[in-house]
Amino acid sequence: MKVDSAVEYLRSLNYCVNYEPHPYHLSPEKAISFFEQYDLVLDCTDHPTSRYLISDACVLTGKPLVSASALKTEGQFIVLNNPPRPPGDVSGGPCYRCIFPKPPPAETVLSCGEGGILGPVVGVMGVLQALEAIKLLTAKPPPTDLDCAMDLTADEVPAPVEQARPTMLMFSAYSSPQFRSVRLRSRRVACAVCSAQATIDRQSLTSGSLDYVAFCGVTTPTNSLKPTAQVTATEFSQLPTDGSNVLIDVRDETQYAICALPGSVNVPWTGNADAWLEEAIRVGAVAELGDGRDRYFVCRLGHDSQLAVKAVMDNVLEGRAKDIKGGFRAWREEVDPSWPDY
Amino acid sequence: MIDSIPIAVEFTRIQSKTHRDSPVASGGLELLFSNQRKHQVALPASNPEGTPSTVGYLVKWLCENLIKDPRKEMFVLDDSVRPGILVLINDADWELEGEEKYELQANDEIVFVSTLHGG
């Protein structure tokens, strides 16, 4: 398990720290009792579902939350619910819902698995989290009048205690400057969890009545073609390679460079059907008026190839376009086990 | 009489699953805007109703004048900037500045930031 690898590695770095693995998924039912054992929480997860749950549980247990995210060459860093005042106290720091009251549409959420991530970018964000965690854990409580009187020598003026201002630090490896700090709002008057009008309480979490997956939405697999417009990878492998058919690979250039079938034509799917079709015709992959040859479409998993087939069937006179069902994953499983699994 | 105001508009690389198959997806919001992150725009100083141009009007204006792609829903949903995009006015969350009602000043810098979730 990932958590065991993390503990093993961290122990080799510093065996003086007490590491406690929790080898299960964080659920709304467990989150409250789990967070109550700690002084602060660091969110290093990778999906809106867990980000909303962790923030809600931090507000309800009164813990500050050090949150970082990263994708490709960019990162974002926010300290939330700091200071961690009870719901309804406007002097508390904003929570994730104050900043992002509505989750983004599921189809716009790109994970590191899909989008890729550069190791040092996560490293930068992780180090920032570690630093903030040390600062929060070692922070002195605000001085009382008595403390000030005792510390004060003749010429010294006590430094005013700086109220933490909510900010988001954005990091972008290829931008100049690489760091940018932006001011965020304070607690939202109508926040669903940290305001006086909150509708989410401990009971909503512990009872399991709050469905974070439904709240954030799910994407459904593309299934837009009739069965007659699809062939299996096995069927495709049995077709003659005499030029009577054309294989159009719609993956991006990087994936095409990793592995591709000989004789295939690469026309990356960009999401815009009209622009894609124009490009496919321009490079000669698709013939506007038809040339009697069958076109087969393939991608990594078989989503985008269906969209490309649909674009061709909707717009071009030649209708002989077929999708290779399940893409190269199916190709690997059915036809060629040596095909790279990436 | 000033009839247009210069505004700097920037899009952080807003990601979306336009390619669900690609681990190196490149389909970001900047794709909608000619694949360019930073734009200098000359926005009409007032909207067609004659009132000073606001950020809300800028969003509408960008959709009508700068987006070169039919997938406007990647940027705007239900007439507002879609959830998951944070709007910054001169490095501050637009909610600190009056959101859509903020009246734009010359050389204001408006940034549309995509929320990242990866970890």
Side-chain angles (χ1 to χ4, degrees), chain A residues 45-46 48 51 69-72 74 76 100 102-105 107-109 114-116 170 180 182-185 188 220 222 252 255 269-272 299-301 303-304, chain B residues 10 12-13 15-26 31 37 69-71 77 82-84 86 88 91-93 95-97 109 111 113-119:
Chain A
T45 63
D46 65 355
R51 294 202 177 262
S69 55
L71 185 70
K72 296 190 180 189
E74 306 193 353
Q76 290 169 358
F100 306 109
K102 281 190 209 161
E107 64 275 12
T108 66
V109 175
E114 295 166 291
M170 304 196 297
R180 179 175 201 159
V182 302
R183 286 184 291 128
L184 294 181
R185 53 160 307 129
R188 187 177 288 273
T220 45
T222 311
D252 60 53
Q255 294 181 69
W269 180 253
T270 52
N272 178 347
C299 61
R300 185 163 78 107
L301 301 172
H303 301 292
D304 290 350
Chain B
E10 187 181 339
T12 71
R13 197 159 297 164
Q15 307 299 341
S16 82
K17 268 187 204 175
T18 51
H19 313 218
R20 275 203 282 181
D21 288 313
S22 48
V24 281
S26 57
L31 255 179
R37 288 179 77 147
D69 195 293
R71 293 165 298 153
L77 265 183
R82 75 155 169 79
L86 197 63
L88 304 176
D91 279 342
D93 186 343
E95 301 205 16
L96 294 168
E97 308 287 344
E109 201 185 29
V111 185
V113 180
S114 170
T115 324
L116 304 178
H117 305 96

Side-chain angles (χ1 to χ4, degrees), chain A residues 28-312:
Chain A
E29 292 89 337
K30 285 176 194 148
I32 299 270
S33 59
F34 177 35
F35 284 14
E36 266 173 341
Q37 307 165 39
Y38 298 91
D39 295 314
L40 99 143
V41 177
L42 282 71
D43 188 344
C44 315
T45 63
D46 65 355
H47 198 271
T49 316
S50 48
R51 294 202 177 262
Y52 280 101
L53 166 60
I54 290 170
S55 171
D56 291 352
C58 279
V59 171
L60 297 170
T61 54
K63 310 295 177 186
L65 172 60
V66 182
S67 181
S69 55
L71 185 70
K72 296 190 180 189
T73 59
E74 306 193 353
Q76 290 169 358
F77 174 81
I78 325 180
V79 183
L80 296 163
N81 197 37
N82 181 44
R85 305 269 156 78
D89 184 338
V90 292
S91 68
C95 73
Y96 197 72
R97 283 185 196 264
C98 296
I99 315 293
F100 306 109
K102 281 190 209 161
E107 64 275 12
T108 66
V109 175
L110 191 67
S111 71
C112 287
E114 295 166 291
I117 176 72
L118 202 58
V121 173
V122 191
V124 167
M125 303 319 291
V127 166
L128 284 170
Q129 278 182 293
L131 175 61
E132 206 57 39
I134 292 170
K135 280 166 62 187
L136 284 168
L137 291 173
T138 56
K140 285 182 189 159
T144 60
D145 290 345
L146 187 66
D147 292 334
C148 289
M150 280 160 58
D151 288 344
L152 204 61
T153 56
D155 298 326
E156 265 181 323
V157 179
V161 178
E162 210 178 308
Q163 174 74 29
R165 269 175 48 180
T167 54
M168 177 166 81
L169 186 62
M170 304 196 297
F171 172 73
S172 174
Y174 284 89
S175 294
S176 179
Q178 289 178 316
F179 286 98
R180 179 175 201 159
S181 179
V182 302
R183 286 184 291 128
L184 294 181
R185 53 160 307 129
S186 52
R187 280 194 174 178
R188 187 177 288 273
V189 178
C191 178
V193 67
C194 74
S195 73
Q197 311 167 29
T199 50
I200 297 166
D201 57 15
R202 285 171 167 247
Q203 176 70 23
S204 333
L205 262 71
T206 49
S207 69
S209 65
L210 215 57
D211 187 340
Y212 286 87
V213 174
F215 174 63
C216 293
V218 283
T219 49
T220 45
T222 311
N223 194 1
S224 54
L225 298 177
K226 290 191 192 118
T228 51
Q230 289 189 304
V231 295
T232 63
T234 311
E235 283 162 353
F236 178 76
S237 71
Q238 288 154 358
L239 291 175
T241 49
D242 56 1
S244 62
N245 59 69
V246 182
L247 176 63
I248 300 171
D249 188 327
V250 301
R251 296 173 302 154
D252 60 53
E253 295 86 345
T254 312
Q255 294 181 69
Y256 190 76
I258 296 171
C259 48
L261 286 177
S264 61
V265 188
N266 184 215
V267 187
W269 180 253
T270 52
N272 178 347
D274 294 341
W276 180 86
L277 196 62
E278 206 173 293
E279 178 65 11
I281 292 169
R282 194 187 67 78
V283 301
V286 170
E288 206 165 356
L289 300 171
D291 59 5
R293 292 193 294 173
D294 291 331
R295 258 76 183 176
Y296 291 86
F297 291 78
V298 70
C299 61
R300 185 163 78 107
L301 301 172
H303 301 292
D304 290 350
S305 56
Q306 291 186 51
L307 302 176
V309 168
K310 206 164 173 302
V312 170

